[in-house]
Amino acid sequence: MKTYLVTGGAGFIGSNFVLYMLGTYDDIRIVNVDKLTYAGNLENLASLKGDERHIFSQTDICDKSALEKLFSEYEVDYVVNFAAESHVDRSILIPELFAQTNVMGTVTLLDVAKRAWEQTDGTFGDHRYLQVSTDEVYGSLGAEGYFKETTPLDPHSPYSASKASADLFVKAYGDTYRFPANITRCSNNYGPFQFPEKLIPLVINNALDHKSLPIYGDGMNVRDWLYVEDHCKAIDLVLHKGVLREVYNVGGHNERSNNFIVHRVIEYIHDHVDAEVTDTLITYVEDRKGHDRRYGIDPEKIKDDLGWYPATTFEVGIEKTIEWYLKNKVWMEHVTSGAYQGYYEKMYRNR
Ligand code: NAD
Ligand code: TYD
């Protein structure tokens, strides 16, 4: 039986990954390490109640001694690091928190894993570490071209700067100690359990409540959207079959403008749920500072080398996502009560 230490496994992508792995493999266990910030939610893991293969620990990845304890208590074979502050808008307000969690947290985790795994001859056996990163580390594209693994890092937001810094520490551990790590850099995800600070769940939630739908700037910024389960499958593949110390970009050639995304959500809700939801809810608001114009992934490496492909088309994925939020209104009510209200006011009131 293999043991996976998954950090940030109560957040959006992390919880989807934990559920995917335990649903796919019988003979594994997952030590789920999550600080439970505003973005971490044990309700995402409710279906695992009673499953002894899932061990949850409320732990901060910056807490070295707590991590050391977990590594000595469980024989950890693999680490997948999802834990992060993940929202660009929040990073513009509080950059230090992003440096602390995303950079120092990653360095702490790398160091604890290295010490736990390193053998007397300096090798690491079959252990593996995967750093879940983002295409945002490459910066912004013009109308043409794609991010390749060789594209120079050029982060613009405090979020992407912190993720790029973490990637460089992972690279340094590989270069210096031959630490057995990979980095995946994925495009924007969407799907179940995404916190409604991000565009798609925010727009779904607001539309259902007949609240205005804020589009930053002219709405022509482009993101390359990937259904979260396809990202989980890519991580599973890279973790087990990736060439050590290589970077893999993950994306499905699904570039859409923000205007397109918001109109598609409105159209679906209008046609299937509530005819009163129309384009009139859209409000163009002040642009995000330093707003990256376009992200677009070249996924040829992971396709050619590991046979990964995105199984879910955008048409299917967006319908599944909206249907999930319709069926899980209580989940949405829970995450939007309390602190979310203050956040929303602060972010959108004077925009
Ligand atoms: P999220 O904000 O939904 O979840 C982050 C999780 O990390 C939460 O459960 C939170 O409680 C936990 N966490 C935060 N600080 C922690 C700490 N110090 N110690 C332990 N746990 C901590 O984020 P997400 O969207 O699921 O993203 C997960 C990872 O994937 C991040 O590393 C992000 O950079 C990366 N990523 C996200 C996207 C995307 O579109 N969401 C795309 C590419 C890469
Ligand atoms: P987001 O979901 O925050 O992801 P990221 O910034 O990591 O790409 O934003 C996706 C796009 O949607 C981005 O171009 C910013 C834009 N956006 C809006 O126009 N309005 C909003 O209320 C939000 C949250 C995002």
Side-chain angles (χ1 to χ4, degrees):
M1 187 184 59
K2 296 290 185 192
T3 301
Y4 296 70
L5 189 142
V6 175
T7 72
F12 162 48
I13 308 176
S15 61
N16 275 286
F17 180 75
V18 169
L19 294 169
Y20 168 78
M21 291 297 282
L22 290 174
T24 305
Y25 303 102
D26 284 332
D27 195 25
I28 64 168
R29 67 177 173 176
I30 291 182
V31 181
N32 187 341
V33 175
D34 196 296
K35 184 181 176 184
L36 296 179
T37 67
Y38 76 92
N41 185 351
L42 290 178
E43 285 180 49
N44 301 0
L45 304 162
S47 64
L48 296 176
K49 200 161 183 247
D51 189 334
E52 287 173 359
R53 299 173 304 153
H54 180 242
I55 300 136
F56 183 81
S57 170
Q58 184 171 3
T59 296
D60 186 336
I61 57 162
C62 300
D63 185 342
K64 191 166 192 164
S65 60
L67 288 178
E68 282 167 350
K69 236 173 121 188
L70 288 170
F71 272 81
S72 68
E73 194 170 346
Y74 302 100
E75 234 169 70
V76 175
D77 295 289
Y78 306 109
V79 169
V80 185
N81 185 25
F82 290 97
E85 289 294 335
S86 69
H87 190 37
V88 173
D89 290 324
R90 290 186 196 251
S91 82
I92 294 167
L93 294 177
I94 31 171
E96 299 93 328
L97 176 61
F98 284 68
Q100 178 63 19
T101 293
N102 299 358
V103 187
M104 286 315 297
T106 298
V107 176
T108 307
L109 183 62
L110 281 169
D111 212 57
V112 172
K114 174 185 170 285
R115 286 172 200 281
W117 290 345
E118 196 166 22
Q119 299 173 3
T120 43
D121 63 356
T123 62
F124 293 92
D126 293 332
H127 297 102
R128 298 183 75 134
Y129 176 105
L130 190 144
Q131 177 73 6
V132 181
S133 188
T134 165
D135 61 352
E136 304 193 24
V137 298
Y138 296 121
S140 184
L141 292 165
E144 303 286 319
Y146 297 100
F147 296 135
K148 297 178 80 70
E149 288 80 358
T150 49
T151 303
L153 302 188
D154 182 23
H156 297 141
S157 71
Y159 164 67
S160 53
S162 68
K163 293 294 290 185
S165 310
D167 285 9
L168 292 178
F169 272 99
V170 176
K171 178 182 180 302
Y173 268 65
D175 294 346
T176 308
Y177 310 111
R178 307 305 292 158
F179 185 73
N182 286 103
I183 298 171
T184 53
R185 296 193 179 128
C186 188
S187 56
N188 285 64
N189 284 212
Y190 67 103
F193 303 121
Q194 190 167 29
F195 192 81
E197 63 191 354
K198 306 282 175 19
L199 180 67
I200 289 180
L202 185 143
V203 166
I204 296 171
N205 185 41
N206 282 17
L208 293 174
D209 286 349
H210 294 191
K211 280 172 67 180
S212 76
L213 310 179
I215 297 183
Y216 300 165
D218 63 4
M220 291 310 290
N221 301 68
V222 169
R223 298 293 182 261
D224 188 354
W225 294 94
L226 185 72
Y227 192 63
V228 63
E229 194 180 6
D230 284 321
H231 186 189
C232 295
K233 288 180 183 170
I235 290 170
D236 181 15
L237 260 181
V238 173
L239 184 63
H240 296 108
K241 303 216 169 92
V243 176
L244 283 179
R245 292 171 283 277
E246 291 282 311
V247 175
Y248 292 89
N249 285 351
V250 185
H253 278 309
N254 181 46
E255 291 184 41
R256 313 277 173 170
S257 71
N258 296 336
N259 284 327
F260 174 91
I261 295 287
V262 176
H263 283 287
R264 181 69 193 98
V265 170
I266 292 170
E267 185 185 42
Y268 186 86
I269 295 179
H270 176 85
D271 292 351
H272 296 90
V273 188
D274 181 350
E276 285 181 33
V277 171
T278 65
D279 294 354
T280 55
L281 287 175
I282 290 175
T283 319
Y284 286 90
V285 299
E286 186 191 334
D287 209 350
R288 175 185 280 172
K289 287 185 175 60
H291 197 175
D292 287 340
R293 194 62 172 170
R294 176 178 159 244
Y295 301 145
I297 285 268
D298 177 346
E300 290 315 308
K301 181 173 171 179
I302 190 168
K303 280 188 171 172
D304 291 350
D305 294 2
L306 303 181
W308 177 85
Y309 67 96
T312 308
T313 62
F314 183 72
E315 288 67 31
V316 170
I318 195 71
E319 292 190 8
K320 277 168 84 166
T321 302
I322 298 171
E323 288 295 330
W324 186 88
Y325 282 99
L326 288 169
K327 283 199 198 87
N328 290 278
K329 286 188 174 156
V330 174
W331 182 94
M332 186 60 94
E333 273 164 34
H334 289 173
V335 301
T336 52
S337 64
Y340 182 79
Q341 301 299 330
Y343 161 80
Y344 197 89
E345 270 286 293
K346 188 168 181 182
M347 198 61 77
Y348 293 96
R349 191 185 38 208
N350 296 321
R351 233 181 160 117

